[in-house]
Each structure stands twice: as structure tokens, then as C-alpha cells.
Amino acid sequence: MSTQRSVKVAVAVDGSENSMHALREAVRLFAASAKEIHIMHAHKPPNEFRTDSLFSWSEWYQRMEHERHAKAQQLLERCTQVVKEEGRKRGLGEGVAVSGVDLKGDPRDVLASHVQSVGADLIVMGTRGMSMLKRMALGSVSTHCVHHAPCPVLIVPLKPENALESLAHKADVTPAATSELEHCRLSEALEG
């Protein structure tokens, strides 16, 4: 008896370790039932300003957009490969359709509206692990999508072992960070 693939899963990526982890989790969780995994990358265009430099604003803007678009296409190609590799690891062959799009605009707005236009059943995205205060001050793409997307949103936290690595890379030696790192190490020791 074959299973009908019926779910269209949209995955937001920005190239970060967190978003790539969310992409792998989307494949792990939904590839067997997904008819399509739709990869979305969004960017906010540079603010418009006037300059008296050697080249005009439009030339600068076109050059920046071209470079950004080329990087986004490379990211979408890399993500497509990740979906195919992860699918093969799970014995799914080429059964899942993969598509990708590079969206222009504030990620909070364009991601939520784009999923409606493509008829996605679910959004999967990573989180940067910001504190409540930072989310309130800076705004969180994932929080905005949870409140404004027309479909459910699955927020995938960074794996604990990657969180330790990320914490170490930040070289945060505040007492709170040191205490958190020691707590994580103790938890790992007790589990191991």
C-alpha cells in the first residue's frame, strides 16, 4: 500500500547553522509525507540614500542586488542538495519535489505572505535563540511568522551540542554564560 504525499512544507533558510539544522529536521520529520519541500530565503533590500560617490545610487544598488541574488541562489542550490541527500539517507529516493525562492523584502513580512501564495501547509524555521528582551527590542522573524502566517509554524531550536559550540564561539565569558556552559557540561556528563 503506497502512501499519498499530501503536505507542502515551506522551510525558511538564511544560511546560518540554525536554519540548516531546521532544514534537515524538516526532511527528517516530513519527507515521507511531503509532496514538496519549498525552500524560502528572504532578504531586506538596502535602505535608499543619496550619495556623491564615484558611481550613482542605481549602479551601486544594481551591483549589490546582483551579488546578493547570486549568493542567495548558491544557498538555495546548497539547500536543495541537503534535502536530496537527507532524503536518500532515509530511503526516500527522489520522491520529494524540492523548490526554492529568493524573496525581496523584510523577512518577517515576505515569508508569512509567500507561504499563503504557494499554499504551504506548514512553515519550518530555525531560531537564533534570542532572549525575550532581544526579541522584543529587535523583533524575531520566527515570532512574527507564528503570529501572522496563515498556517502552523514549527520552530526548530539549535541542537544542544551545537548550542555549546555556538556559545564557545561567541567567547562570552560573563558569569551567566560560564554558569550556563558548566550546567550543560554537567548535564552531558550525567547523561553519558
Side-chain angles (χ1 to χ4, degrees), residues 119-162:
D121 300 300
L122 174 74
I123 302 174
V124 178
M125 56 191 346
T127 180
R128 293 186 293 170
M130 292 191 294
S131 68
M132 175 77 87
L133 185 59
K134 279 187 179 178
R135 281 194 309 269
M136 287 172 45
L138 301 175
S140 163
V141 174
S142 57
T143 300
H144 183 86
C145 286
V146 165
H147 294 288
H148 295 93
C151 61
V153 178
L154 174 63
I155 308 295
V156 180
L158 192 58
K159 293 190 289 188
E161 61 270 15
N162 292 349

Side-chain angles (χ1 to χ4, degrees), residues 23-169:
L23 178 63
R24 286 182 182 89
E25 283 297 295
V27 175
R28 184 181 73 77
L29 294 170
F30 301 107
S33 61
K35 63 181 172 189
E36 181 179 349
I37 294 184
H38 183 68
I39 304 164
M40 305 178 298
H41 174 266
H43 77 285
K44 196 174 196 175
N47 292 329
E48 197 167 326
F49 64 94
R50 298 209 181 262
T51 181
D52 294 329
S53 64
L54 298 175
F55 49 89
S56 73
W57 161 253
S58 65
E59 290 170 347
W60 176 82
Y61 183 83
Q62 287 174 356
R63 189 179 77 213
M64 294 303 290
E65 272 299 296
H66 177 73
E67 289 174 10
R68 192 222 42 84
H69 184 70
K71 287 180 183 177
Q73 290 305 312
Q74 289 174 347
L75 173 62
L76 292 171
E77 289 170 13
R78 186 175 64 177
C79 290
T80 299
Q81 285 305 107
V82 166
V83 170
K84 289 179 179 180
E85 289 170 11
E86 291 294 319
R88 276 195 287 281
K89 285 180 189 175
R90 288 163 175 64
L92 301 172
E94 301 295 325
V96 179
V98 182
S99 62
V101 65
D102 178 30
L103 303 165
K104 185 175 174 181
D106 186 329
R108 291 175 292 191
D109 298 324
V110 297
L111 292 173
S113 64
H114 180 73
V115 296
Q116 185 168 14
S117 68
V118 297
D121 300 300
L122 174 74
I123 302 174
V124 178
M125 56 191 346
T127 180
R128 293 186 293 170
M130 292 191 294
S131 68
M132 175 77 87
L133 185 59
K134 279 187 179 178
R135 281 194 309 269
M136 287 172 45
L138 301 175
S140 163
V141 174
S142 57
T143 300
H144 183 86
C145 286
V146 165
H147 294 288
H148 295 93
C151 61
V153 178
L154 174 63
I155 308 295
V156 180
L158 192 58
K159 293 190 289 188
E161 61 270 15
N162 292 349
L164 276 177
E165 192 175 293
S166 179
L167 187 62
H169 278 107

Side-chain angles (χ1 to χ4, degrees), residues 161-190:
E161 61 270 15
N162 292 349
L164 276 177
E165 192 175 293
S166 179
L167 187 62
H169 278 107
K170 289 180 183 174
D172 187 352
V173 291
T174 63
T178 305
S179 174
E180 182 65 23
L181 186 58
E182 288 303 316
H183 174 75
C184 290
R185 286 184 179 147
L186 179 61
S187 295
E188 286 180 349
L190 291 173

